[in-house]
Amino acid sequence: MFVRTASERDLAAVRELLVETWHATYDDLYGRQRVTEITDEWHSIPLLRANLEQPRSEFLVADDGKTLGGVAYATASDDGKTVMLKRLYVRPAFQRSGIGRALLAEIEESFPEANTVRLEVAVDNHPAVAFYRANGFVISASPETDTKGHSVYNCEKRIG
Ligand SMILES: CC(C)(COP(=O)(O)OP(=O)(O)OC[C@H]1O[C@@H](n2cnc3c(N)ncnc32)[C@H](O)[C@@H]1OP(=O)(O)O)[C@@H](O)C(=O)NCCC(=O)NCCS
C-alpha cells in the first residue's frame, strides 16, 4: 500500500470503503440502520467531492494499485496551527498492518505550519482509542457529546 492524494476518480471506491468500515466499526455501537443513515449523509459522493475541493485540507488514500486500503481527511484551522483529523479509516481486512500509522504520518507532514492535531473518537471504539494512544495522542479525561449525540473523547497530539 502506498499513500497518495485522493482524486475525483477515487470517490466511488472511497465511499465503498467508508460504508464497509463504518458498518464493521459502529453497527454494534449504534445499530445498523443508524450507521446506514449517517454514512449516507456523511459519505455521499457530493460531500466527498466537497471535501476534495476544500481549501487547506488533505484527503489521502492508501492504495495497492487494485484496492484502496485506507482513507484519511484533515483540515487546517486556527491559522494553520491546528489540524483537525476528520476521518481515518482502514478497511477491516487491512487493519493492523501499519496503514493507519502511515496515513497519520502523512497527514502530520502535510501541514508543516501546524503544532497540534485534534480529533474525536467514540468512547466505545476501544481499538481506535488504543491506536491514538499508541501514536502519541493524549485522550481527554471525560467524554463530550458530538453533533450526532454520541459520546466521544477529544484527542490531541503536539507535532512539529
Ligand atoms: C483505528 C485504525 C485507523 C488504526 O489503523 P491500523 O492500520 O489498523 O493500525 P496500525 O496497523 O497502523 O497500528 C499502529 C499501532 O496502533 C496500535 N493499534 C492499532 N490497532 C490496535 C488495536 N485494535 N488494539 C490495540 N492497539 C492497536 C498498535 O500499537 C499498533 O502497532 P502494532 O501493530 O505494531 O502493535 C483502524 O484500525 C481503523 O480504521 N479502525 C476502524 C475505524 C476507526 O475506528 N477509525 C478511527 C475513527 S476515529
Side-chain angles (χ1 to χ4, degrees):
M1 287 278 168
F2 57 95
V3 172
R4 62 170 175 79
T5 301
S7 72
E8 170 77 30
R9 66 181 175 280
D10 296 314
L11 293 184
V14 166
R15 171 168 163 75
E16 187 262 322
L17 181 158
L18 288 168
V19 169
E20 178 187 340
T21 310
W22 261 68
H23 279 299
T25 307
Y26 298 119
D27 279 5
D28 285 350
L29 302 183
Y30 307 139
R32 188 166 180 83
Q33 178 61 33
R34 183 84 185 110
V35 170
T36 299
E37 286 165 14
I38 295 174
T39 199
D40 279 352
E41 178 187 339
W42 285 359
H43 309 139
S44 68
I45 298 291
L47 196 142
L48 294 173
R49 184 175 296 119
N51 291 162
L52 265 188
E53 294 165 357
Q54 175 80 25
R56 292 149 61 87
S57 72
E58 198 65 35
F59 194 148
L60 303 174
V61 290
D63 185 2
D64 68 1
K66 288 184 296 194
T67 311
L68 295 188
V71 58
Y73 174 66
T75 59
S77 64
D78 187 22
D79 275 340
K81 297 291 178 210
T82 303
V83 177
M84 304 300 297
L85 181 59
K86 310 267 191 174
R87 188 181 290 141
L88 178 62
Y89 287 91
V90 175
R91 198 187 287 278
F94 293 94
Q95 288 173 10
R96 212 62 196 265
S97 58
I99 294 172
R101 196 197 319 257
L103 285 164
L104 177 62
E106 187 63 30
I107 288 287
E108 291 175 12
E109 284 184 17
S110 301
F111 297 91
E113 308 291 309
N115 58 29
T116 307
V117 184
R118 288 208 179 108
L119 60 96
E120 291 177 349
V121 60
V123 164
D124 295 321
N125 189 355
H126 305 295
V129 171
F131 168 82
Y132 291 120
R133 197 168 269 132
N135 283 280
F137 283 81
V138 175
I139 317 293
S140 61
S142 48
E144 294 186 8
T145 304
D146 74 3
T147 55
K148 295 287 182 196
H150 303 139
S151 257
V152 294
Y153 289 125
N154 288 305
C155 305
E156 188 171 301
K157 178 183 183 180
R158 305 289 290 181
I159 58 168

